[in-house]
Amino acid sequence: MTLGLNLISYQGTLPALASQPAAALPGHAVVGRVSLGRGAWLGAGAVIRADGHYVRIGDDLHMGRGATIHIAHEVYPTLIGARVCIGADAVVHACTVGDDVVVERGSVILDGAKVGDGAVVEAGSIVYPRSTLEPGMLYAGRPAKPVRRLSLHEGQSRSELERARNEAGDVRWTCQPIPTGAAPDSFVAGTCDLSGRVHLAEGASVWFGCRLDGREGPISIGRLCNVQDNSVLRAGSLGMSLGDQTTIGHNVQLVDCNVGARCLVGIGSRIAPGTRIDDDTFVAGGSVTEPGQHLTGGRVWGGDPARPIGEMNEAKRAAISNIAIVYAGYARALRAGVPG
């Protein structure tokens, strides 16, 4: 089922598709320097974004609801082989993925990783940056570790099962990208769903597929703050605030919490109700907080539940500042081109 392709130009470059997708469900977005093979199946809200680098994908890609593919700006492209299946709410980021790989629902593959042909990343796992996953192996955990070698039959069965889950997913996707208040130079991608009171300060951005619920309390997004693709934010009665120059990574869940300025909440993290994240805090990808937890500033937090694993340094502070600048640039480029 193809309901009209949402192909979005970035700096004058449109995605190149080898054929019409087998499916392109509501809310999907394909952006910029993407080369996509034949027969792709794009679930509701699926995002493939190639702005700061390129994405190349082989034939028969299968993406579940709210899955995300992205790059690392001017550092890593994303290269994906043929017959790859990516489950719902999974993220494949700035890495290399071989043929016949299965990335099950809710998993995350991070920058510089290499996943061998026929490997399976079990649901909810996190592949850490620059990891190498051997061909034909099952990996699980946070970080993902080898579990056992897969038979050809088991690898095929897991791919078929994840594809069936993708195709059984909800095909509905609401696109309501209008905030209640926004600075003129802020940006909200066209496949977002904003409800209730959502306010964006100067240079703030909310990216493809994000769902922000400010009906119970307002959501305030600070100056140069960016909320990346397919993240879900739900405010409580006291509201939610995200500080200036803060980054909320792809496919993050924030529920009834507050995040300070100059923070990074890494890809796939789950931030529980009542969590308070101080200014200048780095939350590693895939982290999970406990209700009411306080993440003190000047530290790196990670794990499930999140715990201090290091101290902030100048390199991390500079990286957070640079992401804010880069995302403001992405937003300017998209505002100048075809609306998303």
Side-chain angles (χ1 to χ4, degrees), residues 5-22:
L5 283 171
N6 188 23
L7 304 182
I8 299 165
S9 173
Y10 179 77
Q11 294 185 333
T13 300
L14 271 168
L17 276 62
S19 74
Q20 188 81 352

Side-chain angles (χ1 to χ4, degrees), residues 239-254:
M240 175 186 295
S241 65
L242 309 179
D244 295 349
Q245 299 184 63
T246 279
T247 289
I248 306 300
H250 308 284
N251 293 69
V252 167
Q253 292 182 11
L254 300 179

Side-chain angles (χ1 to χ4, degrees), residues 302-315:
D304 179 4
R307 63 193 183 281
I309 57 174
E311 300 295 322
M312 287 286 281
N313 57 30
E314 288 308 310

Side-chain angles (χ1 to χ4, degrees), residues 150-163:
L150 296 160
S151 69
L152 179 61
H153 173 73
E154 184 179 1
Q156 291 173 339
S157 295
R158 295 191 73 136
S159 178
E160 290 168 2
L161 180 59
E162 201 64 25
R163 287 168 185 257

Side-chain angles (χ1 to χ4, degrees), residues 190-217:
T191 61
C192 293
D193 180 19
L194 277 55
S195 57
R197 292 167 289 170
V198 179
H199 304 270
L200 279 73
E202 295 83 1
S205 56
V206 180
W207 291 82
F208 297 94
C210 288
R211 285 146 284 168
L212 277 61
D213 186 349
R215 291 174 294 180
E216 187 173 343

